[in-house]
Amino acid sequence: MLSSLWSLAAAASFSLMAAIVKLSSGEFGSLELVFYRSVFGMVLMMFLAASQHGSMRTEHFREHMIRSGLGVLSVALWFFTLRDMTLSTNMTLIYTTPLFMAANFIVLAKMKHERAPWAMVASILVGFIGITLILRPEFHEKDFIPGLVCLFISAIDLLVYWQMQKMGKLGEPSWRIVFYFSLLGAIFSFIGQWVFSDGFHYPSPHGALCILGIGVFATLGQIFMTRAYAYGNLLLSSCLGFSAIPFSAIFGYFIFDDPITVMSLIAMSLVLASGVAASVTTKKMEATLVHGKKG
């Protein structure tokens, strides 16, 4: 059940990163922030590898490029959709990845003539209802194309999660997976910042602190998420990923004085309940598998 803790830690880290991005609003462009956080991640992963006497050389370079390429494509398309949609609608559609994951497992179970993990699917549906009540998306005619792109991003993220689990089975350490993703992200954002924007800006003391905070929490989030998906249960990790939304609401309340309504509290309770139910279900499934092997 260690994957539960990794998933929650990833959600908290990404939520803190988002809060710091908001604090730095107006001083940096989106691609500029991606570049800084990617470079920070590369440097930190190299130090981590050195501390463990590890190397960035790998026999699975192709697998790294698939994971990193899909991840960078996902980020690039996400920036495109943010221009034309409200954040609440955008994030609701982005968080449909666990629904794709649940549908994927149902299809796989049917193909193998096995029982589908309906309890986990139910937990994911409850969690999605919870974040929808928190975000309260509004759909308009102009949202059709970017909305389809958001669903495509969710499908890409599903492929990313499967790829990370494949790499975990190949024995690739999480720090190497994060390093190559950060490397490709740094190259993409560096080129994009010069092509689509006006280059890089000299950060103020406040901006430098924000860059440091974004780099720390983005990198930690990537490490935790990679460990959760590469070595843990995919459905459980997907369901617990919903907790990023309640975390964001809580951080928003304490940092930005954002209000938390009664409906938000009810919705957070649904997300919490879905996470607990998914964790209990996973524990029972793992215990059954262990008992079956012993028998």
Side-chain angles (χ1 to χ4, degrees):
M1 294 303 292
L2 188 59
S3 61
S4 300
L5 298 178
W6 291 128
S7 297
L8 292 174
S13 297
F14 285 132
S15 298
L16 279 169
M17 180 205 72
I20 299 173
V21 168
K22 188 174 180 179
L23 286 172
S24 67
S25 178
E27 187 167 348
F28 305 103
S30 298
L31 287 173
E32 202 170 5
L33 289 176
V34 172
F35 174 77
Y36 287 131
R37 88 172 203 179
S38 297
V39 170
F40 186 95
M42 288 170 53
V43 173
L44 186 60
M45 292 306 98
M46 286 190 287
F47 275 113
L48 186 59
S51 69
Q52 299 182 11
H53 306 289
S55 170
M56 293 306 172
R57 296 183 63 181
T58 176
E59 298 178 355
H60 309 291
F61 185 75
R62 177 178 176 274
E63 304 302 330
H64 281 284
M65 289 300 99
I66 292 174
R67 182 268 176 268
S68 302
L70 289 172
V72 170
L73 176 62
S74 175
V75 172
L77 291 175
W78 183 46
F79 285 160
F80 166 76
T81 61
L82 283 172
R83 296 181 306 175
D84 304 313
M85 303 180 73
T86 62
L87 184 61
S88 60
T89 304
N90 182 279
M91 293 307 293
T92 300
L93 292 173
I94 290 297
Y95 271 88
T96 55
T97 300
L99 300 182
F100 281 103
M101 182 71 75
N104 192 187
F105 269 82
I106 292 173
V107 171
L108 288 174
K110 295 299 181 183
M111 291 174 62
K112 296 177 181 179
H113 303 289
E114 298 175 351
R115 185 176 182 275
W118 295 113
M120 291 292 291
V121 171
S123 297
I124 288 173
L125 289 174
V126 171
F128 184 74
I129 292 171
I131 68 162
T132 302
L133 291 175
I134 295 172
L135 295 173
R136 299 184 184 181
E138 296 180 358
F139 296 95
H140 305 284
E141 187 176 348
K142 66 180 180 64
D143 295 330
F144 180 71
I145 298 299
L148 288 179
V149 175
C150 282
L151 293 177
F152 182 59
I153 293 170
S154 294
I156 292 175
D157 289 342
L158 174 62
L159 296 177
V160 169
Y161 298 152
W162 276 111
Q163 184 67 11
M164 284 196 289
Q165 185 170 82
K166 179 180 179 180
M167 295 171 75
K169 291 179 179 178
L170 289 172
E172 287 294 273
S174 55
W175 46 262
R176 190 181 291 154
I177 298 173
V178 174
F179 171 80
Y180 281 105
F181 172 67
S182 299
L183 173 62
L184 206 61
I187 295 171
F188 161 76
S189 55
F190 181 81
I191 296 173
Q193 182 64 21
W194 287 107
V195 174
F196 301 109
S197 189
D198 55 349
F200 291 84
H201 307 91
Y202 189 80
S204 66
H206 171 265
L209 285 174
C210 287
I211 288 173
L212 178 61
I214 291 168
V216 168
F217 289 111
T219 304
L220 287 175
Q222 282 294 331
I223 293 173
F224 297 148
M225 182 186 73
T226 300
R227 292 195 67 86
Y229 283 99
Y231 313 116
N233 183 289
L234 289 179
L235 278 176
L236 175 60
S237 298
S238 293
C239 187
L240 293 176
F242 287 139
S243 60
I245 301 301
F247 273 129
S248 296
I250 294 170
F251 293 145
Y253 174 79
F254 285 106
I255 299 174
F256 304 108
D257 291 325
D258 293 340
I260 294 181
T261 64
V262 174
M263 181 57 73
S264 295
L265 290 174
I266 295 173
M268 288 183 202
S269 299
L270 286 176
V271 174
L272 175 62
S274 71
V276 171
S279 298
V280 171
T281 300
T282 302
K283 188 173 183 178
K284 288 181 178 179
M285 290 170 58
E286 291 175 349
T288 301
L289 287 173
V290 171
H291 181 73
K293 289 180 180 179
K294 289 181 178 180

